[in-house]
Structures are given as C-alpha cells and as structure tokens.
Amino acid sequence: MTRYDPEIGYDVPARVGDPVAAVMTPALVVDLDAFERNAARLRDFAAEKGVRLRPHAKTHKSADIALYQMAEGGACGICCQKLSEAEALVRAGVTDILISNQICGAARADRIARLAGQARIGVCVDDPAGVAELAEAVARHGTSLNVLVEVDVGCLRCGVAPGEPAVELARLVDAAQGLTFGGIQAYQGALQHIADPADRRAAAETAARLTRDTIDALAAAGFACETVGGAGTGSFRMDTDLGQVNELQCGSYIFMDADYDRIREEDGDRPGGMENALFVLSGIMSQPVPGRAVCDAGLKALSVDSGLPRIDADGLTYKGASDEHGVILDPEGKLSRGDQVWLVPGHCDPTCNLHDWYVGVRNGVVETLWPVTARGKLY
Amino acid sequence: MTRYDPEIGYDVPARVGDPVAAVMTPALVVDLDAFERNAARLRDFAAEKGVRLRPHAKTHKSADIALYQMAEGGACGICCQKLSEAEALVRAGVTDILISNQICGAARADRIARLAGQARIGVCVDDPAGVAELAEAVARHGTSLNVLVEVDVGCLRCGVAPGEPAVELARLVDAAQGLTFGGIQAYQGALQHIADPADRRAAAETAARLTRDTIDALAAAGFACETVGGAGTGSFRMDTDLGQVNELQCGSYIFMDADYDRIREEDGDRPGGMENALFVLSGIMSQPVPGRAVCDAGLKALSVDSGLPRIDADGLTYKGASDEHGVILDPEGKLSRGDQVWLVPGHCDPTCNLHDWYVGVRNGVVETLWPVTARGKLY
C-alpha cells in the first residue's frame, strides 16, 4: 500500500503499472502520447526546413527526456542554462550540450573545462573577462570548448550589442587556445510570450535583422557562424521563415503550459501545433462547503509566476494558491473529497523544477517514472 | 577549487570556513545571528505569555532548524503541512510533529499510522471520511494519533464550520480507538498578510470569537480542548492578546521575507520585532550596458508569488525574473560582473523549497550547511 520504502529511503509517487487513481498527489504527470507527438512535430518541422534542433533541457531537466529528444526527436544535442544542470545531464549520459548562457567566475570555468573532457560542451560569452576565465581553465585541463558569442537581439538581458561588439569578442575567442568560435547565440526570449501574432512577428523581424547584421559583420572580419542559435516555442516557425537562426532551441514545446494557451500562430493554431502534455495531478483533500473544493497542489507543486493553473475540466476554476493548498471553485458540485483533478500549470519550466519525478502515463496507466535529474541545479 | 565531488556525486554550494565570496551562487543563505535572535524573540514571548510554541516547519523544511527550535527556541514540537514532510523530519530525528492539515486517502492514512509508531504525531480532520480512514489505519498498526478538528475561523479554505459541526466531528474522533481528540486547529492564514493593523485586528477578533464559540460548544458536549492551535507570524501578538489560541504555529518568523516588510504591528514595529534572516545570495553574471546588471537568481532560485525580491543595498532594484536570470536596475553603476548581491525573497516558504542547502553565515564566513531535509516532499 505504501510507496515509501524505509530500506531505500525515498518516495516515488507511483509504481509502473499503477492506475492513475493510485498516483500519490500532487504529482507531475506526462501524457506520453501527447509528449511523443510534440517531439515528432518539431523533429519533422526541423527536418523539412533543413535546420538543426537543439531542444532546451532547462524546461524538463531530465536525462531521460534529453536522451529521448536525441534518439527519437531529431535533436543534435541539447541546451542547458546552468553549469550544474549540464554536469548532472552529462553524468546521466548526455553527450552534447550547449550551455546557452554565461558562465561566470574561476570556479565555474574550472568545472566547465573539466566537463569538456567528458562530453561535447559549448558555452556563451558576452564579456572579455569571461573569455579569459574559460581560456585559462581549458588550458589547465587540456580540453576545448565551443564558444558562441551571445548577442542581444532585443531581449534586453545578457549579450553584447549586435555588429562590431560581437566581432571584437569573436576575435578574443578565436585567439584563445582551446576555445573555438562556433557562432552566435541570438535568442530573443521576450518574443515567446507576445500574444498578438503580428506584434510577435515584428519583434522576430527586428531580431532577425540584428542577427543578420551581426553575421555580416563577423563574415567581413573573416568569421563564419557555424551555429546561429535561437528561437523558442512561441516563435520558431517565424524565426525559421526569417532564415537567420540555423539551430532551434525550443524548450516548452515538449510540454506546453497554460500561459502558452494565449499564444497563437498567425493561422490561429497553437505554436507549432503543439498540445499540452504536462499536468500536475492533484487530489481533492477537503470539500468544506458547497461550491468550494480544496486540492493538495499549491505554490510548492506549481509555479504561479505566469498565472494560476487551468483545470482540464469544464466548470472548475483554480481560484487561489497558498503554499500547500489550491482553492477550486466548483459551482456545480462536481468534485468530492478523494477525487483527482488535472491541472495545467501556468509555466512549465519552474513547475518541473519543483518535483523529483515525472510520472509518465498512457491509457490511464503509469508506464514510466523519470527522475528530474537536474532539479535544483542552480549554479 | 571545485565543490563537486565525483566520488560523492553531489554538489554543495560552499564548505564550512569559506568566506561568503566563495559561496557558489545562487545560494540560500541564513544570517545565523539574526536567525538566533528571531528564535529567541518568539521563545521569550511564548514563555512570558504562558502559551506553547509549535513552530511551522513548512517554512524551512529543515531537520536541523526544527531540532534547533526544540532545543533552543522554546518549541514543544513542530508543525508540518504534509505527511511526507513529517516522515522526512521524523527520519532525521524530530520526535513531536503536528500535521496541521488533512491527510486524505487510505494510502496516506496507512503511512501516518505507521509514522505514529516512531514519534508523537498529531493530525487535523475536517470530514467524517477522514476520521474513518485514520481509525482503520491506527487499528491495523496498533498505534495512536492525536487529532485536532480543523475549524474554519475565516480562512475560507479547509475546516468545518465553527460550533456544532466541530462537536459532531469531535464525537467521531472520540469514539474511535487509537484516536485521541486533542482540541481544535483554528488557524486563520489569510490574516497574516493584511497590511493594515486595524483591519488585521478586526479579522483576528472575528477568528477569536469563532474559536471561542467552538471551544464553548465542545465544552458543553464534554470535550476539553487541550490544544487550540493557530496564529502565524503576522498575528501572533494579537492572537495571544485575544486569549483563545494556546499553541502558536508561527513559521515565517524565523526568516521573514520581503512581503512581510509591508506588515507592521500596531506600534509600527515589524511583526514580533523579527528581522530578516534569509537571503538568496546571487552573483552578477553579466553587465551588458550601463545601468543594467543581470544576476544568476531567477524563478528557479526564488519564488515570486508574493512579489519580486528586495535587494539589500541602496540604489539597486530587482526589476524582472526569468527562469534563471534576474535583471537589476543599477542607475549608479554600482555593480560589476562577479559581484554578489543579497536578495530578500518575496516569500520565504516556497523559496526555501527550491533549494537543497542552507548556507549558514556569521561574520562573513560559512559556519554551517543544513540540508533542506523535506524539500519537494509534497504528499
């Protein structure tokens, strides 16, 4: 009856073969059919358009999913956002990772240089000091790194300005033994969540123009960009049409979330035709008065930074989250204590990072359990 | 130079004796002096007023902190909010836990009944079916549970209505072998975050009146409430003045957070005179243009459900969080790549639940590391 095994010392939320009704809630559940269809959609899109695909593992932080994306999903490798995330995935067997972010400080440079002895590792830079730290570390370890210069094409976060500043940094990378200039990182993250397709296209066009200017400036200085990385779930079709990015870094596509419900392609379809594959399965723990039910998934089971979860059933509204409770409005009295509800989280990435396990479900039965390999890997 | 030990297989963000500058960011840092002063403040308050103190471990999820609160902080035991949280803390040596929440379903009932063989365990009920599940399980395991009837005194979440409904449930508990009616749970969680002290007092008065009515109804039926549990960090002084609650369940007091900056006692002081003891220490990873710095703590390092973090330094504003980045406005150009900033998270409880370790700091040096024992324990 219990899944806690004192001999092992840890919990699992379900066992393979369990019916969904036996899953201990709240649990992070993957609809495996929808998940596989999403993976195939982006694989087929990239193949048709002739661009590489390097999905972002910051969404799922799972070695099993990363390896699936590489084996079945058309991925040439994966992206991570943090060094310790990449370390965890390399330890679990992932062989090709771009850290699509800056690595700051001598301690991290030492770690990434060592990691580069175990897998093919790329990283971004946007500062001469970062280049110097990486160069010193790879020289000490006798390893090499593929380095992309991050360019700010409208995200207003990290990255050098487009054009000449990128060329200056490319020269520093190129001059450093053990560092290979691999191209540019041109991700416009703010794009993904612009609801209006016309506004989103305008931002994508700006990003593409700034990317083109930078590619041209680098070419004039003798630097070819093998990789132009960028694009996310909300913009990969537009970005591919615009023709600058050659390696897609979509992350959320594999799961989707309630915030992406707002985002539509120009034809009214969901981004890339993707469907929701991720749920927080939650149990009704109290039904104190008619019209109100209380579920066991609150702020520690789902992230509300991009809004409250949507309930995958008519007539029910998730009204408010406290640390360990969710209050559900149920005017028609559909829910009883002990029932389960399927919540579509507002934002998939930080929600996955709250959980230790994915419960993979097909036809109402638990088919697999995947650990959230890099959960909490923050450095 | 590195803290990742391939032989051990896990990371720690620092080592004891490190200077703060060597802590790997982002990290959850406890100012040990402030932490100890907060613990002493509530201990002394409870002793002076003659009420028991059972701090809420849902805030910190740490066995080390729970044991400190019991050894040095005047606590008679601790509260948990989830069964698996309590299991984790019992395994780590905590001997007296009230799960201040409902436990739903036969699987959980089985687990709590077994746990009751290892420590003194209490739990709340608000439904006859829950009482029956617990009774069946303790009979099977030959253990006993202390049971509080949860009463809704204004929280509009779980709990039976005040008065007669509580008496009915107390009768069921009392009739069940292995279950001891221990009193009522009368926590008004919505109270804690009412900014205006007069409005907060009005809500506390309502809660106290409904609590009194229930105590009286129970007494008329022959049931004494050994425990009347409730009160939180924002209201414990008022609740104690009002004289109904006899066991304080404050959690946040030990750390405080940026949202509690808004909350003042009637004398203008911070709640109970508590001070901030919890930080997310974050590193500046990029400083792409004058006036903007980017730090390495985003949505996966701090919870923004109650607002963005405050920076513990003048002239700096944490402007926006993405998954792994925080954008800081720095109009005076104070920050450089590689600097550290001390962020006061908007909401302490869900922020602690994101991290694997507390880094305890005193006089600029790492003095201790505490695991977040029950991190992610969601059932």
Side-chain angles (χ1 to χ4, degrees):
Chain A
M1 174 162 277
T2 176
R3 290 170 195 81
Y4 171 67
D5 183 338
E7 301 291 317
I8 299 174
Y10 64 76
D11 279 323
V12 287
R15 291 204 189 282
V16 170
D18 277 353
V20 167
V23 173
M24 200 66 111
T25 59
L28 196 60
V29 171
V30 177
D31 174 340
L32 292 172
D33 287 329
F35 166 89
E36 290 170 6
R37 285 191 295 264
N38 286 345
R41 284 182 183 105
L42 191 58
R43 175 197 66 203
D44 295 347
F45 175 87
E48 182 193 326
K49 300 290 182 179
V51 293
R52 289 194 301 273
L53 174 58
R54 184 181 285 278
H56 219 305
K58 81 185 183 74
T59 298
H60 55 70
K61 289 179 168 276
S62 155
D64 295 274
I65 296 176
L67 292 169
Y68 178 86
Q69 288 172 316
M70 291 180 70
E72 306 289 339
C76 65
I78 59 154
C79 294
C80 284
Q81 199 73 322
K82 292 289 183 119
L83 168 66
S84 57
E85 193 175 67
E87 289 172 332
L89 295 183
V90 168
R91 292 199 289 277
V94 179
T95 54
D96 189 330
I97 297 179
L98 168 66
I99 300 175
S100 57
N101 202 358
Q102 282 67 41
I103 293 300
C104 188
R108 286 188 188 80
D110 184 80
R111 285 165 69 145
I112 195 174
R114 187 159 53 157
L115 193 66
Q118 300 165 38
R120 184 171 189 273
I121 302 293
V123 66
C124 297
V125 294
D126 74 349
D127 192 289
V131 178
E133 288 165 357
L134 294 173
E136 192 275 332
V138 294
R140 191 169 57 254
H141 285 277
T143 54
S144 64
L145 287 165
N146 193 49
V147 178
L148 305 189
V149 171
E150 180 163 358
V151 182
D152 185 352
V153 294
C155 195
L156 302 179
R157 203 169 61 186
C158 301
V160 297
E164 198 50 38
V167 177
E168 287 171 31
L169 214 50
R171 283 200 185 95
L172 289 178
V173 172
D174 188 57
Q177 191 136 23
L179 303 185
T180 303
F181 172 73
I184 59 174
Q185 170 73 3
Y187 175 64
Q188 214 290 41
L191 212 61
Q192 312 308 322
H193 299 278
I194 300 176
D196 183 74
D199 292 346
R200 197 160 1 112
R201 178 171 279 276
E205 286 170 351
T206 299
R209 180 172 50 74
L210 298 171
T211 303
R212 181 78 251 161
D213 292 349
T214 307
I215 294 168
D216 290 346
L218 284 159
F223 294 109
C225 291
E226 189 204 323
T227 298
V228 180
T233 298
S235 68
F236 72 90
R237 293 207 320 198
M238 292 175 183
D239 291 331
T240 304
D241 284 349
L242 292 164
Q244 303 310 317
V245 171
N246 66 14
E247 197 169 281
L248 307 180
Q249 299 178 341
C250 311
S252 302
Y253 81 99
I254 198 76
F255 289 150
M256 305 304 283
D257 59 32
D259 191 48
Y260 267 116
D261 288 348
R262 295 184 302 110
I263 310 299
R264 297 287 152 172
E265 299 279 5
E266 284 150 318
D267 62 7
D269 204 2
R270 297 198 69 183
M274 303 299 167
E275 62 195 294
N276 200 79
L278 183 81
F279 300 87
V280 172
L281 185 68
S282 180
I284 302 301
M285 53 185 290
S286 178
Q287 206 226 11
V289 294
R292 188 208 313 154
V294 182
C295 76
D296 57 14
L299 299 172
K300 293 177 189 166
L302 39 84
S303 187
V304 302
D305 62 271
S306 300
L308 293 174
R310 169 169 66 75
I311 303 183
D312 202 31
D314 289 336
L316 302 174
T317 307
Y318 187 106
K319 181 67 185 333
S322 48
D323 285 350
E324 288 90 358
H325 299 82
V327 172
I328 295 174
L329 301 185
D330 175 22
E332 300 165 42
K334 292 179 167 181
L335 295 174
S336 301
R337 180 179 179 280
D339 286 351
Q340 292 178 332
V341 287
W342 296 72
L343 307 175
V344 179
H347 189 180
C348 51
D349 302 36
T351 295
C352 295
N353 184 52
L354 293 167
H355 294 261
D356 290 322
W357 296 94
Y358 291 98
V359 180
V361 166
R362 200 184 320 259
N363 299 325
V365 175
V366 175
E367 181 175 304
T368 188
L369 287 174
W370 296 324
V372 187
T373 320
R375 199 223 71 72
K377 297 298 183 189
L378 292 169
Y379 319 139
Chain B
M1 174 162 276
T2 176
R3 289 169 196 80
Y4 172 66
D5 184 338
E7 301 290 318
I8 299 173
Y10 63 76
D11 279 323
V12 287
R15 290 203 189 283
V16 169
D18 278 352
V20 167
V23 173
M24 200 66 112
T25 58
L28 196 59
V29 171
V30 177
D31 173 340
L32 293 172
D33 287 329
F35 166 88
E36 291 170 5
R37 285 191 294 264
N38 285 345
R41 284 181 183 105
L42 191 58
R43 174 198 65 204
D44 295 347
F45 175 87
E48 183 192 325
K49 300 290 182 179
V51 293
R52 289 195 301 272
L53 174 58
R54 185 181 285 277
H56 218 306
K58 82 184 181 75
T59 298
H60 54 71
K61 289 178 169 274
S62 155
D64 296 273
I65 296 176
L67 292 169
Y68 178 85
Q69 288 173 316
M70 291 180 70
E72 305 290 339
C76 66
I78 59 155
C79 294
C80 284
Q81 199 73 323
K82 292 289 182 119
L83 168 66
S84 56
E85 192 175 69
E87 289 173 332
L89 295 183
V90 168
R91 291 199 291 276
V94 179
T95 54
D96 190 331
I97 297 179
L98 168 66
I99 300 176
S100 58
N101 202 358
Q102 281 67 42
I103 293 300
C104 189
R108 286 188 187 79
D110 184 81
R111 284 165 69 146
I112 194 173
R114 188 160 51 158
L115 192 66
Q118 300 164 37
R120 184 172 190 271
I121 303 293
V123 66
C124 296
V125 294
D126 73 350
D127 192 289
V131 178
E133 287 165 356
L134 295 173
E136 193 275 331
V138 294
R140 192 168 57 252
H141 286 276
T143 55
S144 64
L145 287 165
N146 193 48
V147 178
L148 305 189
V149 171
E150 180 162 358
V151 182
D152 185 352
V153 293
C155 196
L156 301 179
R157 204 168 61 185
C158 301
V160 297
E164 199 49 40
V167 177
E168 288 171 31
L169 214 51
R171 283 199 185 95
L172 289 177
V173 172
D174 189 57
Q177 191 136 22
L179 303 185
T180 304
F181 172 73
I184 59 174
Q185 171 73 4
Y187 176 64
Q188 214 290 41
L191 212 62
Q192 312 309 321
H193 299 277
I194 300 176
D196 182 74
D199 292 346
R200 198 161 358 115
R201 179 171 279 275
E205 286 171 350
T206 299
R209 179 173 49 74
L210 297 170
T211 302
R212 182 77 250 161
D213 292 349
T214 307
I215 294 168
D216 290 346
L218 284 159
F223 295 109
C225 292
E226 190 204 324
T227 298
V228 180
T233 298
S235 67
F236 72 91
R237 293 207 320 198
M238 292 175 184
D239 291 331
T240 304
D241 284 350
L242 291 163
Q244 303 311 316
V245 171
N246 66 14
E247 197 169 281
L248 307 180
Q249 300 179 341
C250 311
S252 302
Y253 81 100
I254 198 75
F255 288 150
M256 305 304 282
D257 59 32
D259 190 49
Y260 266 116
D261 287 349
R262 296 184 300 111
I263 310 300
R264 298 286 152 172
E265 299 279 5
E266 283 150 320
D267 62 7
D269 204 3
R270 298 198 67 183
M274 304 298 167
E275 62 194 293
N276 201 79
L278 183 81
F279 300 87
V280 172
L281 185 68
S282 180
I284 302 302
M285 52 185 290
S286 178
Q287 206 228 9
V289 294
R292 188 207 314 153
V294 182
C295 77
D296 58 14
L299 298 172
K300 293 177 189 166
L302 39 84
S303 187
V304 302
D305 62 90
S306 300
L308 293 174
R310 170 170 65 76
I311 303 183
D312 202 30
D314 289 336
L316 301 174
T317 307
Y318 187 107
K319 180 70 183 335
S322 48
D323 285 349
E324 288 89 359
H325 299 82
V327 172
I328 295 174
L329 301 185
D330 175 22
E332 299 165 42
K334 292 179 167 180
L335 295 174
S336 303
R337 180 178 178 281
D339 286 352
Q340 292 178 333
V341 288
W342 295 73
L343 306 175
V344 180
H347 190 180
C348 52
D349 301 36
T351 295
C352 295
N353 184 53
L354 293 168
H355 293 260
D356 291 321
W357 295 95
Y358 291 98
V359 180
V361 167
R362 201 184 318 260
N363 300 325
V365 175
V366 175
E367 182 174 304
T368 188
L369 287 174
W370 295 325
V372 186
T373 319
R375 198 223 70 73
K377 296 298 182 190
L378 293 169
Y379 319 140

